[in-house]
Amino acid sequence: TTLYEASETLHKVSYLEAASIVVIPMVLVSYSRAFQSKFASHKKIAKVTFPVWLYVAVTGVIVYLMISPYYS
């Protein structure tokens, strides 16, 4: 691997970390609004939260699968 490729990988991981930090409060707000039966408000935040959560979930698994050979 070249230094440039390593830099690009690190840059992509930092986006994943930022998204994973942002998604936690979004999920909590979305869940609390649904639990309080404020469904109109829940629907607005869930439209944004779900794609971010899905991105974090899928890319997290991909990153894990890519780095797991280095730790076995």
Side-chain angles (χ1 to χ4, degrees), residues 17-28:
E17 290 172 353
S20 66
I21 292 169
V22 170
V23 81
I24 294 169
M26 292 172 68
V27 167
L28 293 174

Side-chain angles (χ1 to χ4, degrees), residues 2-57:
T2 66
L3 185 58
Y4 177 75
E5 290 171 344
S7 171
E8 285 295 312
T9 304
L10 182 61
H11 188 66
K12 290 176 185 174
V13 170
S14 65
Y15 280 135
L16 178 61
E17 290 172 353
S20 66
I21 292 169
V22 170
V23 81
I24 294 169
M26 292 172 68
V27 167
L28 293 174
V29 169
S30 181
Y31 176 76
S32 68
R33 289 183 181 174
F35 188 73
Q36 296 170 355
S37 298
K38 297 179 181 178
F39 295 114
S41 168
H42 162 75
K43 191 173 182 179
K44 286 180 184 176
I45 190 123
K47 285 182 180 180
V48 177
T49 303
F50 181 71
V52 175
W53 171 81
L54 190 62
Y55 169 77
V56 169

